Amino acid sequence: MFFRKKHNQLIGLDIGSHTIKYCELIEKKRIWVLKGFGMKTIPRDVIQEGMVRDPEVLAKEIEFLLNRHSVTEKNVAISVSGFSVIVKRINMPQMTDAELRSRINYEAEQYIPFDINDVNLDFQILGDGSKPNTMNVVLVAAKKDLVIDFISALSAVGLNAAVIDVDCFTLQNIYTHNYKSEETVALIDIGASKTNINIIEGKQSLQLKDLSIGGDTLTQDIRNRIDCSYEDAEEIKYSGKSDLMSQSEFRDVKSSTIQYWISELKRTIDSFISANPDKMISKVFLSGGSSHISGFYQSMTEELKIPAEPLNPFQMFDMSSSGLEPEFITKIAPQACVCMGLGIRRAGDK
């Protein structure tokens, strides 16, 4: 949302805490074709809570991934997230886009818990507010240090950040592209240390909230139960099998952690329903690497009394040129949502 270049073509590059992913999409006769997709695990101390801790290593990891897949495009779309990014949906008096831009710093100071001089700001007017002569606005602020670190890592390997977006909007874009629905749904993305909830109706965001829970919670809970490395705990988390932990022990730990996650998510969703009695959430879509832990979808559906399913970012794309096996596509779908959402961006769009 912060930087745009005239060059239209770009690749989506999702830089996560555990993996980096790229996709290259081509639009042909109103049909989007997936030309290429790849992913690579990175050392877990390179990105922490959305912040770049080692730009040099990150640059090398990105270069390796793109070279391995013979990617030549230099313009990329990336997104930022974490505790250095603030997204607020606010209600303001009616004004033009130009008027709001002229006073955005003043307005932002009321909502952003950072020094206004230390952040990059952007906004989008969503439409009329609930009261006469008001409008709904999404305000976005990202710490300049965060943005600079990402740009520096990309520049080190000859890449240009043509678009810098925010994870929650990237997920919303890929959902609306694939599902074409006007229903009220909850998009829940479970990252390593942070979970984002975006409740939308059609193409409009109704409520945004970040929670300090994520996949690393379960990893640490496993490590607290048994003496093992981070890598061993990650393997147990996803496979559920290990000589270090019995099946019953793992089920107990997983059940406790998932119930905690769901209780936090339910509190947010119940709050929305209480404030919007005329809105009914018809479905919950889950994404992120930790969303497909076995039993999670079923537990969400039972506790929330709302159907929960994985968000499929590939649903409306021609996959025939991707070279990916169907089993692999199904497996990586929850992790690929942000990347695919970035891939449909084009430099210069809003």
Side-chain angles (χ1 to χ4, degrees):
M1 296 181 71
F2 301 115
F3 304 93
R4 302 175 182 87
K5 303 294 182 181
K6 290 183 178 180
H7 186 66
N8 188 260
Q9 185 67 35
L10 48 74
I11 62 170
L13 184 64
D14 176 18
I15 304 172
S17 300
H18 293 170
T19 61
I20 51 176
K21 311 166 197 73
Y22 97 92
C23 69
E24 189 166 8
L25 299 166
I26 300 173
E27 193 173 11
K28 292 184 176 180
K29 297 180 180 179
R30 298 183 181 180
I31 297 176
W32 286 88
V33 178
L34 180 63
K35 180 182 177 182
F37 180 91
M39 57 194 299
K40 184 185 186 303
T41 301
I42 63 175
R44 65 186 182 94
D45 56 349
V46 174
I47 304 284
Q48 292 182 346
E49 297 182 348
M51 295 292 293
V52 181
R53 303 301 181 188
D54 195 332
E56 184 176 346
V57 171
L58 176 60
K60 290 179 179 178
E61 295 286 343
I62 293 171
E63 185 176 41
F64 182 90
L65 172 65
L66 299 184
N67 285 344
R68 185 173 68 187
H69 291 274
S70 303
V71 177
T72 58
E73 177 59 53
K74 298 301 181 182
N75 286 310
V76 302
I78 66 169
S79 63
V80 292
S81 62
F83 301 105
S84 293
V85 180
I86 302 295
V87 180
K88 291 280 188 182
R89 187 173 184 270
I90 62 177
N91 196 257
M92 295 181 57
Q94 284 278 2
M95 64 184 72
T96 66
D97 188 279
E99 288 172 334
L100 179 54
R101 189 164 297 282
S102 69
R103 55 183 293 182
I104 188 64
N105 283 17
Y106 170 77
E107 296 293 339
E109 285 184 318
Q110 304 175 61
Y111 303 100
I112 304 302
F114 308 133
D115 186 324
I116 205 69
N117 296 311
D118 294 337
V119 298
N120 287 326
L121 289 171
D122 205 349
F123 66 88
Q124 186 163 355
I125 299 173
L126 300 178
D128 293 339
S130 56
K131 297 179 180 179
N133 301 315
T134 64
M135 62 183 184
N136 289 319
V137 176
V138 169
L139 181 67
V140 183
K143 280 195 170 181
K144 290 179 180 178
D145 288 348
L146 168 70
V147 176
I148 290 170
D149 285 345
F150 275 108
I151 292 176
S152 296
L154 295 171
S155 298
V157 290
L159 299 175
N160 168 55
V163 171
I164 301 181
D165 211 329
V166 179
D167 278 6
C168 60
F169 298 130
T170 301
L171 289 164
Q172 183 175 332
N173 287 341
I174 199 63
Y175 166 77
T176 56
H177 179 87
N178 279 285
Y179 290 85
K180 316 292 186 186
S181 171
E182 295 300 319
E183 295 180 333
T184 302
V185 302
L187 307 180
I188 301 178
D189 185 63
I190 304 177
S193 60
K194 187 176 182 181
T195 292
N196 172 265
I197 304 175
N198 187 4
I199 299 175
I200 68 172
E201 184 177 60
K203 294 184 177 181
Q204 183 174 0
S205 176
L206 303 178
Q207 180 168 314
L208 291 159
K209 188 172 181 63
D210 290 330
L211 300 175
S212 299
I213 57 174
D216 281 348
T217 308
L218 179 53
T219 304
Q220 190 57 50
D221 287 347
I222 293 170
R223 297 188 69 191
N224 290 340
R225 180 69 68 95
I226 61 173
D227 183 17
C228 70
S229 67
Y230 178 89
E231 289 71 24
D232 286 337
E234 281 282 289
E235 177 63 28
I236 294 170
K237 178 171 74 175
Y238 290 114
S239 69
K241 301 175 182 178
S242 174
D243 295 334
L244 302 172
M245 175 179 268
S246 69
Q247 289 285 304
S248 62
E249 279 184 304
F250 174 65
R251 283 195 297 269
D252 287 345
V253 173
K254 183 180 72 171
S255 176
S256 176
T257 305
I258 286 178
Q259 286 304 311
Y260 170 65
W261 288 356
I262 292 175
S263 68
E264 293 296 304
L265 295 169
K266 187 175 188 299
R267 186 176 292 111
T268 299
I269 289 175
D270 286 347
S271 174
F272 170 81
I273 293 173
S274 296
N276 301 272
D278 59 323
K279 305 290 185 185
M280 180 177 294
I281 298 176
S282 61
K283 193 169 289 186
V284 171
F285 289 93
L286 297 165
S287 60
S290 296
S291 66
H292 53 59
I293 293 171
S294 63
F296 189 38
Y297 297 113
Q298 181 179 351
S299 296
M300 283 282 290
T301 298
E302 291 173 353
E303 293 292 329
L304 298 179
K305 304 296 189 292
I306 303 172
E309 65 180 60
L311 177 59
N312 181 6
F314 302 119
Q315 187 164 278
M316 297 297 290
F317 291 84
D318 180 349
M319 306 292 288
S320 60
S321 302
S322 68
L324 304 178
E325 296 294 331
E327 296 81 6
F328 179 73
I329 292 172
T330 300
K331 180 180 179 181
I332 65 163
Q335 302 176 63
C337 296
V338 169
C339 187
M340 290 292 288
L342 291 169
I344 61 175
R345 294 295 305 271
R346 287 296 178 259
D349 58 4
K350 179 67 174 176

